[in-house]
Amino acid sequence: MQEELLSSKVDEFEEAMKDMYLIFKVDDQFYGIEIKYVIEIIGLLPITYVPNQEEYVKGIINLRGKIIPVIDARMRLSKPQKEYNERTCVIVTSIDDFLAGIIVDHVSEVAVINKDQISSLPQTYEKINERFFRGVASLNERLILILDCETFVKPDRINL
């Protein structure tokens, strides 16, 4: 009986989170990732450089005893580098038990974005679309690029 109740509550929770996205900013652009991948948002911790990584893999951090890789969203998105500041933060994500941090300029909000609000990117951006993006949504007169968290976070090569 308790297992059925727990299973029902988990299903309700997953349903409620289905259309929720964490909105963050890199440069002058807003991006969104499904909230189901987000474990927590933390301030920037000391990063230990690990050689022979992709350029956007900044290194590793010690998060309460767990060693996780961190990637710089700016570099992953081919944006110009910028010095980190007090608003810079790390979005800790979990994908199939793979923990990774995403360094972003700042987190804006959690928003509900229904599937019918997400459009495909124009064909001009098809290659980019296939790689990182699920589409684009309009939210409060802002365009939000919806990232495919799995392809964005899981680097092509991490040699840790």
Side-chain angles (χ1 to χ4, degrees):
M1 182 71 170
Q2 283 185 333
E3 287 179 23
E4 289 175 17
L5 182 61
L6 181 60
S7 178
S8 172
K9 293 291 183 191
V10 168
D11 290 344
E12 287 176 28
F13 181 72
E14 287 176 354
E15 183 66 27
M17 291 183 50
K18 177 175 70 169
D19 295 329
M20 295 182 78
Y21 288 81
L22 179 68
I23 310 300
F24 61 91
K25 199 168 187 182
V26 174
D27 217 13
D28 291 329
Q29 176 61 52
F30 287 95
Y31 298 87
I33 59 173
E34 289 178 89
I35 200 78
K36 70 180 183 180
Y37 296 114
V38 177
I39 301 298
E40 64 183 301
I41 301 161
I42 60 172
L44 199 57
L45 297 173
I47 299 170
T48 300
Y49 172 77
V50 178
N52 300 319
Q53 301 302 308
E54 298 290 343
E55 188 177 358
Y56 57 85
V57 179
K58 299 304 286 183
I60 54 176
I61 60 172
N62 183 343
L63 181 63
R64 294 182 297 280
K66 289 186 178 186
I67 306 302
I68 64 170
V70 288
I71 64 171
D72 189 309
R74 284 183 155 275
M75 296 178 79
R76 186 75 161 140
L77 295 165
S78 302
K79 298 274 189 178
Q81 285 191 344
K82 178 180 154 185
E83 206 167 303
Y84 299 143
N85 61 39
E86 67 280 348
R87 296 198 70 187
T88 305
C89 57
V90 178
I91 301 169
V92 179
T93 61
S94 177
I95 300 165
D96 300 326
D97 296 325
F98 174 78
L99 292 177
I102 306 170
I103 302 170
V104 301
D105 291 353
H106 75 271
V107 169
S108 175
E109 63 192 287
V110 173
V112 174
I113 302 175
N114 298 313
K115 283 184 176 46
D116 60 345
Q117 291 176 278
I118 301 173
S119 304
S120 297
L121 287 173
Q123 279 189 326
T124 308
Y125 301 102
E126 198 169 276
K127 280 188 174 180
I128 296 171
N129 191 18
E130 288 175 8
R131 186 159 180 205
F132 292 144
F133 299 105
R134 294 181 133 175
V136 61
S138 181
L139 182 68
N140 302 326
E141 299 184 24
R142 295 177 299 176
L143 290 180
I144 312 292
L145 290 172
I146 306 298
L147 289 171
D148 180 334
C149 195
E150 293 186 27
T151 57
F152 187 77
V153 170
K154 283 191 171 180
D156 305 322
R157 181 176 65 98
I158 288 187
N159 300 316
L160 300 179

